[in-house]
Amino acid sequence: MKKVVIGSKEDLPRLTGKAVVIDGVEVAVFRLSNGEVKAVENRCPHRGGPLAEGVVSGEFVFCPLHEWKICLTDGKVQEPDPGCVKTYPVEAEGNEVRVFLAEESVKA
Amino acid sequence: MSKKKLVLVGNGMAGVNVIEHMLKLARDQYEITIFGKEPHPNYNRTLLSSVLAGDTELEAIVLNGWDWYRENGIQLHAGHAVTKIEIENRTVFAEGGLSARYDELILATGSHPFMLPLPGADKEGVIAFRDIQDCETMIETSKKYRKAVVIGGGLLGLEAARGLLNLGMEVEVVHIFDTLMERQLDSEAARMLRMELEKQGMRFLLEKQTERILGKKRVTGLQFKDGFATDADMVVMAVGIRPNVDLARESGIEVNQGVVVDDWMSTSIPGIHAVGECAEHRGIVYGLVAPHREQAAVLAKRLCGVETEPYEGSVTATKLKVSGVDVFSAGEFRDQPGTRSLRIQDEWKGTYKKVVLSGNRIVGGVLFGDTSDSAALFNWIRNGQEMTEEIHASLTGQGDGGSDTGNAARSLALDDQVCDCNRVSKGTILQAIRKQDLKTVDGVKRCTKAGASCGGCQPLVASILQEELGESFDPAPASRTPICSCTDLTRDEVVEAIREKRLTMVKETMNVLGWKNPEGCPKCRPALNYYLGMIWPEEYEDDRTSRIVNEQRHANIQNDGTYSVVPRMYGGVTSPEELRRIADVAEKYQVRMVKVTGGQRLDLLGVKKEDLPRIWEDLGMPSGHAYAKSVRTVKTCVGADFCRFGTQNSIQMGIDIEKKFEGLDTPHKVKMAVSACPRNCAESGIKDLGVVGVEGGWEIYVGGNGGVHLRAADFLCKVKTREEVLEITGAFLQFYRETAEYWERTSTWLEKIGLAAVKKVVVEDKANRKQLLKRLEKTLQNRKDPWEADVNDPEARRTLYKVTRV
Ligand code: SRM
Ligand SMILES: Cc1cc2nc3c(=O)[nH]c(=O)nc-3n(C[C@H](O)[C@H](O)[C@H](O)COP(=O)(O)OP(=O)(O)OC[C@H]3O[C@@H](n4cnc5c(N)ncnc54)[C@H](O)[C@@H]3O)c2cc1C
Ligand code: SF4
Ligand code: FES
């Protein structure tokens, strides 16, 4: 597991996401309205839409291209659409937001 | 034993109906061959009126498609008229060298439209209204020509006239009598009908007899016997029909007015039968579908050896299929010696009801304006029902609290037909309501097709729903559509609550109004944000996170996550200097493509999100709002400055309009155009608001759409000055802003609210116009260019556009 500091909470916009490129991997980071921070891969399973650009409601994001609804906690696409996205553990402490990536997902 | 051979001549409504019955009664008894003169499968002729009026697609009126013939093993020769019957050899011969032997033969050749034998009737542009081809000719003609004259003020003529009006033509109806539809209506109903149709824009030349059709090759006008004349680019003759008996007569079958048949629909020659408009039964030729159905049922049973009562004639009822005009007539509707009648007229509501009694029996009637009693009335007439206190009370609306329409449905039997267009009975509708848990007229329409065509039976469908569901039936579900699945509230309820409870934030609104989903969704949040801004133009602080994604980034997101940049180019006018800047930016940021848009400006495509603020900064041009539900473009034509036909300075007018209203938030996008003459090179006729310069003024058109639901704009008014154009435009936009649902274009909104209402509020009522403009001004004052705002906001640049790389 690799831990990466991506900046402070204040850098994260509200109710939408922010794309962060970590060693070539695009991660979409979200600050929910309850203050929690979530991170998922920034690629919609439908047709690759950038999830970081989507509208956030509760713990869900709506893909900006065709509005598939995706849960940011478990990565599951909501019915009636199928599929799921990769989620990454996050720690938000003080002014630091840290994302954990499995080693193999980080490109050399 | 080999199957018997059945041949049907005429692939129309009556003939094929016989076959449909036979397939149900005894599938395998016959080998069936059908000849049809038209190159189409069996279609619903009565719906040609809806096709012409633009309410139905041609494909949708097919009753039995090509597959149906194949699946039922029927040999169809479409496009081959039968030319000869050899009775001795029991054989028919058709065009293209075809022939077929028969054991039983059915003639269902329908009728010919009657063409008045006037001098000039053979000119180009003189047609009838009978088949798909006529319909197509009228639609084509309406695109090239201006004015149509319909000869004949009966059912068919009026439906043709209404269709032609919808196609944008000027329409005059010539009628020989002084009242319309004299064969169905008494003079009072006819007068009310005429007034209503005049209101819709139809003009009438009554008591006029045509003497000649004028023109060289193509018709140019009509000359009447009284010396009067009128212009015409097209003449539609709808004066009546003649049973098509040519084939029968030549074959030696007994013919009078129509092919003479007995009570079993058999002609004078054994093995040959006739049904539909070509058949004459007891001296009567029926020109309506319902009696043909009864004839078809008798003949089918007879041919399949199923016992049946003889056909003894029909009582007929007619409805006019013109939207906004409900007319019904049946039986003996005229007063005669020995009859009495009940008459109720309400000139305020525009309704008229007349029920004719012979002795005490109900023998006929006319309904105008409100036809919800039609099914019940028709049943009473058919059954020769005696008038009772109860019936009287229901007719006069003094029933025991149950509405008239409730009564109308209750008196129907299960197999009574409710929808004549699609042949749906009350039983079928009830079954669908119960099985599929339907609650609305729309639902019934979707599942059974009842009410899906001319719409005339929708009130009756509603009353069946009412009867079945009782209290829980909501007769006006259209207005009950919630704004999204997060709430049960409708747009109007939400807007009212925002005003009343003085709600000022999206989150608060969802909270107070009990949203099921506390943070809303991409459908309701932008809507709420818009309504709040519209209601509190000065106080409301826009909630960027509640905007649609494109509006949050001030650019259109594309399939690969990049964006497009469309700067404003007022009226489609640019300059060498501006072009140079755009070119420089395109090169500097290596945009993937520079494209001219459909809105007369340039698009830089394939821009990375991070580059957006930098590009905007370098361009130094305002946003074109090509991504927003807001005022988009004002297209212009070159106009009087350059064009030899130009009457006005359309370019300047377009620039003025665009500068005045750019970036104004609206319920959906708004596109405008200004052309300097009716040639309309800026396509003003399909814009949300289109302006057309004419000698000495400007015409304004509204509600056009060039997108998914193509719609020609309606003429709103004509004004003289530039200032008036800006005023009417402003008032129109504000009225739309205040009353439309979010996500609703002006085209659908206009159809909902009605052109008359818009005319009244925006054009006629000057005080009201002032108020609208005053409210609009408050919103206009608070606009700022979104690109400039973000360029100068370091916080936005850092959080919204910057991509972090670690
Ligand atoms: C760029 C342009 C096409 C072009 O290359 O010419 C365009 C591009 C898009 N149009 Fe369009 N429309 C463009 C002119 C039109 C026109 C023609 C016109 O404006 O004269 C129409 C039909 C006219 C009309 O709207 O009445 C048109 C009817 C639509 C519709 C259907 C709207 C409707 O109510 O039926 C949509 C979908 C929507 O808005 O929901 C749409 C949506 C879109 C979107 C924004 C799709 C989206 O939601 O992301 C496209 C963005 C593509 C991109 O990658 O940037 N576009 N679109 C045109 C921009 C004009 C401009 O300068 O602003
Ligand atoms: C615009 C319009 C609106 C109408 N609206 C209504 C309405 O609202 N309600 C209502 O009850 N009625 C309405 N009618 C009347 C109704 O359509 C007719 O009464 C009905 O279609 C007659 O059916 P049919 O089978 O007898 O004739 P058609 O449907 O005319 O069928 C006869 C067919 O036979 C074909 N044919 C003729 N000669 C030959 C031959 N020698 N060989 C092969 N084929 C041949 C014809 O081409 C035609 O296709 C309307 C009619 C029109 C034109
Ligand atoms: S027509 Fe418009 S919405 Fe459709 S692909 Fe072209 S640009 Fe996109
Ligand atoms: S790409 Fe995400 S919904 Fe289509």
Side-chain angles (χ1 to χ4, degrees):
Chain A
M1 209 57 115
K2 179 177 167 174
K3 181 169 81 179
V4 192
V5 178
I6 59 151
S8 77
K9 243 192 193 180
E10 270 56 59
D11 293 334
L12 297 176
R14 287 175 172 280
L15 295 173
T16 181
K18 183 175 178 62
V20 179
V21 186
I22 304 174
D23 287 347
V25 179
E26 267 207 40
V27 177
V29 186
F30 301 87
R31 172 162 61 151
L32 306 188
S33 55
N34 63 8
E36 272 182 61
V37 178
K38 303 278 180 188
V40 302
E41 86 183 283
N42 192 22
R43 229 188 108 74
C44 176
H46 178 218
R47 276 161 61 182
L51 297 178
E53 311 292 303
V55 168
V56 174
S57 170
E59 55 168 354
F60 300 96
V61 65
F62 291 87
C63 174
L65 293 196
H66 317 96
E67 286 177 4
W68 279 24
K69 185 178 178 184
I70 295 165
C71 176
L72 295 173
T73 305
D74 63 13
K76 284 216 178 81
V77 178
Q78 303 297 294
E79 297 277 338
D81 302 309
C84 68
V85 294
K86 198 177 285 168
T87 58
Y88 303 100
V90 188
E91 254 177 32
E93 231 176 42
N95 233 357
E96 257 185 30
V97 177
R98 294 180 285 263
V99 179
F100 295 85
L101 276 84
E103 297 294 345
E104 74 271 20
S105 69
V106 182
K107 287 186 194 143
Chain B
M1 198 184 85
S2 73
K3 287 191 201 173
K4 285 209 276 183
K5 290 183 171 33
L6 176 87
V7 172
L8 166 64
V9 184
N11 189 28
M13 297 188 68
V16 173
N17 192 226
V18 180
I19 307 294
E20 287 174 317
H21 278 297
M22 292 178 66
L23 291 172
K24 282 188 200 143
L25 293 171
R27 267 205 96 71
D28 296 322
Q29 212 166 325
Y30 289 95
E31 189 185 303
I32 302 171
T33 305
I34 301 181
F35 289 90
K37 191 150 111 193
E38 293 182 74
H40 306 285
N42 171 237
Y43 65 90
N44 189 337
R45 194 172 303 286
T46 72
L47 290 186
L48 288 177
S49 307
S50 321
V51 172
L52 195 65
D55 298 333
T56 308
E57 301 283 320
L58 253 186
E59 300 80 60
I61 70 171
V62 169
L63 287 168
N64 292 297
W66 304 111
D67 290 350
W68 177 82
Y69 296 90
R70 217 171 300 127
E71 281 156 17
N72 289 296
I74 297 169
Q75 172 78 304
L76 171 67
H77 301 296
H80 296 271
V82 169
T83 47
K84 193 169 140 196
I85 307 172
E86 268 185 18
I87 290 178
E88 321 78 72
N89 301 325
R90 291 203 171 219
T91 306
V92 298
F93 295 89
E95 290 167 344
L98 298 176
S99 66
R101 272 190 43 79
Y102 65 84
D103 296 305
E104 304 285 346
L105 176 67
I106 304 172
L107 299 179
T109 48
S111 48
H112 292 305
F114 180 56
M115 301 301 275
L116 293 169
L118 300 170
D122 54 349
K123 289 194 196 314
E124 210 179 283
V126 181
I127 59 167
F129 185 21
R130 179 71 196 173
D131 54 25
I132 286 186
Q133 202 187 335
D134 297 328
C135 212
E136 284 171 341
T137 307
M138 283 191 244
I139 292 169
E140 277 312 305
T141 307
S142 74
K143 290 182 188 152
K144 286 191 240 139
Y145 296 95
R146 191 176 54 87
K147 184 172 162 201
V149 172
V150 176
I151 306 184
L155 274 172
L156 196 59
L158 295 179
E159 287 181 12
R162 177 65 248 185
L164 292 166
L165 274 184
N166 281 14
L167 289 169
M169 295 194 83
E170 225 178 280
V171 182
E172 262 172 5
V173 177
V174 176
H175 197 46
I176 190 164
F177 300 106
D178 63 344
T179 58
L180 300 174
M181 283 175 63
E182 75 286 345
R183 277 190 290 169
Q184 290 88 16
L185 300 183
D186 65 349
S187 56
E188 198 45 47
R191 191 184 61 86
M192 292 175 87
L193 173 64
R194 177 177 153 199
M195 275 167 40
E196 178 54 41
L197 292 174
E198 276 173 348
K199 232 193 283 164
Q200 295 192 1
M202 227 178 265
R203 295 202 308 260
F204 294 98
L205 297 170
L206 300 182
E207 294 183 89
K208 288 249 177 305
Q209 213 176 337
T210 313
E211 184 174 68
R212 229 157 10 107
I213 294 182
L214 308 171
K216 282 207 179 112
K217 200 159 148 252
R218 187 178 179 89
V219 51
T220 56
L222 295 174
Q223 172 69 54
F224 302 106
K225 289 211 169 129
D226 59 4
F228 190 87
T230 190
D231 291 341
D233 299 314
M234 165 163 64
V235 172
V236 179
M237 285 207 203
V239 290
I241 49 174
R242 286 273 163 92
N244 177 1
V245 297
D246 310 343
L247 187 64
R249 180 179 293 127
E250 283 156 24
S251 314
I253 300 169
E254 188 191 343
V255 166
N256 185 23
Q257 219 191 340
V259 182
V260 177
V261 295
D262 60 15
D263 287 1
W264 309 104
M265 309 316 294
S266 297
T267 68
S268 61
I269 308 285
I272 303 186
H273 320 271
V275 286
E277 271 181 358
C278 68
E280 176 180 329
H281 173 264
R282 298 194 188 177
I284 300 178
V285 174
Y286 293 93
L288 290 168
V289 173
H292 303 158
R293 292 262 148 75
E294 298 176 27
Q295 298 175 349
V298 171
L299 177 57
K301 284 187 190 154
R302 190 67 175 181
L303 288 171
C304 294
V306 176
E307 206 176 306
T308 170
E309 303 269 306
Y311 176 71
E312 297 186 298
S314 306
V315 181
T316 58
T318 41
K319 275 189 201 151
L320 181 66
K321 304 192 295 301
V322 167
S323 63
V325 194
D326 295 319
V327 183
F328 170 85
S329 153
E332 268 313 324
F333 61 89
R334 261 183 280 243
D335 300 302
Q336 279 161 19
T339 63
R340 299 178 287 171
S341 46
L342 173 153
R343 275 196 203 85
I344 305 169
Q345 186 168 19
D346 179 342
E347 296 208 296
W348 186 63
K349 282 212 163 164
T351 60
Y352 174 69
K353 192 184 288 190
K354 174 177 176 184
V355 177
V356 181
L357 303 175
S358 167
N360 203 32
R361 276 189 314 116
I362 300 176
V363 293
V366 175
L367 301 173
F368 184 90
D370 173 3
T371 51
S372 50
D373 286 332
S374 60
L377 179 58
F378 188 42
N379 278 325
W380 293 327
I381 295 167
R382 261 196 304 214
N383 303 335
Q385 173 74 42
E386 298 268 324
M387 181 59 106
T388 62
E389 281 298 331
E390 222 183 348
I391 291 178
H392 186 270
S394 93
L395 281 170
T396 51
Q398 290 154 357
D400 47 13
S403 72
D404 281 354
T405 52
N407 285 329
R410 224 168 292 146
S411 49
L412 284 182
L414 283 184
D415 52 5
D416 277 336
Q417 189 149 304
V418 173
C419 173
D420 297 324
C421 300
N422 298 304
R423 306 183 211 166
V424 189
S425 68
K426 178 178 173 184
T428 312
I429 293 174
L430 274 179
Q431 208 178 9
I433 294 175
R434 286 173 197 157
K435 261 212 191 121
Q436 312 193 37
D437 197 20
L438 303 177
K439 302 254 182 292
T440 60
V441 174
D442 253 9
V444 173
K445 204 159 98 180
R446 237 179 305 110
C447 297
T448 67
K449 285 183 90 180
S453 298
C454 77
C457 63
Q458 282 178 12
L460 200 54
V461 172
S463 69
I464 294 174
L465 278 157
Q466 172 104 57
E467 188 193 8
E468 177 69 10
L469 305 176
E471 287 293 280
S472 72
F473 173 62
D474 177 355
S479 60
R480 275 254 28 111
T481 315
I483 60 177
C484 73
S485 58
C486 302
T487 176
D488 292 329
L489 299 173
T490 63
R491 181 259 179 213
D492 289 350
E493 288 164 344
V494 169
V495 166
E496 200 181 284
I498 292 176
R499 286 215 165 93
E500 230 165 55
K501 300 188 181 1
R502 298 202 67 82
L503 304 173
T504 55
M505 285 187 306
V506 173
K507 194 140 197 236
E508 175 199 20
T509 307
M510 296 192 291
N511 228 320
V512 172
L513 300 183
W515 244 238
K516 288 179 248 173
N517 183 2
E519 282 179 34
C521 72
K523 194 136 191 258
C524 61
R525 254 163 56 194
L528 291 179
N529 186 56
Y530 169 77
Y531 296 140
L532 286 161
M534 178 267 289
I535 295 170
W536 317 120
E538 289 167 315
E539 304 84 345
Y540 182 63
E541 198 174 321
D542 191 70
D543 174 12
R544 185 163 186 168
T545 66
S546 287
R547 291 229 169 214
I548 57 173
V549 170
N550 286 345
E551 289 181 16
Q552 291 191 27
R553 303 292 184 276
H554 310 315
N556 271 317
I557 192 167
Q558 303 180 328
N559 56 9
D560 62 351
T562 62
Y563 286 85
S564 64
V565 172
V566 184
R568 235 340 116 209
M569 245 174 216
Y570 298 95
V573 178
T574 180
S575 66
E577 192 276 329
E578 205 169 66
L579 288 172
R580 226 168 263 131
R581 241 183 303 150
I582 293 174
D584 287 343
V585 165
E587 277 180 352
K588 178 168 167 194
Y589 295 94
Q590 299 182 336
V591 305
R592 246 169 69 205
M593 179 178 277
V594 184
K595 182 181 180 301
V596 179
T597 73
Q600 297 190 340
R601 45 203 191 161
L602 292 173
D603 194 348
L604 304 173
L605 293 149
V607 174
K608 290 198 266 322
K609 181 168 79 161
E610 303 162 81
D611 289 338
L612 286 173
R614 278 175 256 173
I615 287 192
W616 298 334
E617 199 166 13
D618 287 0
L619 279 174
M621 292 168 76
S623 162
H625 291 89
Y627 48 81
K629 304 217 177 293
S630 120
V631 169
R632 293 265 175 105
T633 53
V634 183
K635 302 214 306 186
T636 67
C637 74
V638 291
D641 277 4
F642 301 91
C643 174
R644 65 198 165 115
F645 296 118
T647 60
Q648 296 280 3
N649 191 338
S650 48
I651 301 180
Q652 194 55 49
M653 187 75 247
I655 294 175
D656 290 352
I657 295 179
E658 192 162 351
K659 288 217 155 127
K660 173 98 195 166
F661 302 111
E662 67 178 297
L664 172 68
D665 283 328
T666 39
H668 206 312
K669 55 197 180 188
V670 169
K671 300 175 176 186
M672 301 192 262
V674 186
S675 307
C677 87
R679 287 170 190 75
N680 243 329
C681 298
E683 299 166 329
S684 306
I686 49 163
K687 292 287 176 269
D688 295 278
L689 185 138
V691 180
V692 180
V694 290
E695 225 41 84
W698 305 91
E699 291 177 346
I700 300 180
Y701 294 80
V702 293
N705 190 303
V708 183
H709 299 290
L710 197 59
R711 181 178 194 276
D714 289 315
F715 175 70
L716 180 69
C717 64
K718 186 172 162 187
V719 297
K720 289 217 174 66
T721 64
R722 165 190 173 278
E723 284 65 36
E724 287 171 294
V725 172
L726 289 172
E727 268 196 17
I728 296 285
T729 305
F732 174 78
L733 290 175
Q734 184 64 8
F735 189 41
Y736 167 56
R737 295 182 74 240
E738 290 179 3
T739 50
E741 303 227 3
Y742 197 68
W743 305 105
E744 185 174 45
R745 289 289 293 266
T746 58
S747 51
T748 28
W749 165 76
L750 185 76
E751 282 179 0
K752 193 177 73 187
I753 200 159
L755 180 64
V758 176
K759 266 195 185 143
K760 183 159 180 309
V761 171
V762 172
V763 185
E764 287 154 17
D765 186 342
K766 295 222 173 75
N768 195 34
R769 189 198 308 172
K770 257 219 184 95
Q771 289 302 318
L772 283 168
L773 290 171
K774 217 166 119 190
R775 294 198 291 273
L776 175 67
E777 217 43 60
K778 286 187 191 161
T779 307
L780 290 176
Q781 273 160 16
N782 281 330
R783 281 171 305 165
K784 45 183 190 281
D785 179 58
W787 289 358
E788 192 186 301
D790 273 9
V791 165
N792 295 320
D793 178 352
E795 177 68 13
R797 287 179 81 144
R798 189 169 57 89
T799 55
L800 292 175
Y801 299 98
K802 213 171 135 238
V803 176
T804 307
R805 291 192 168 75
V806 268

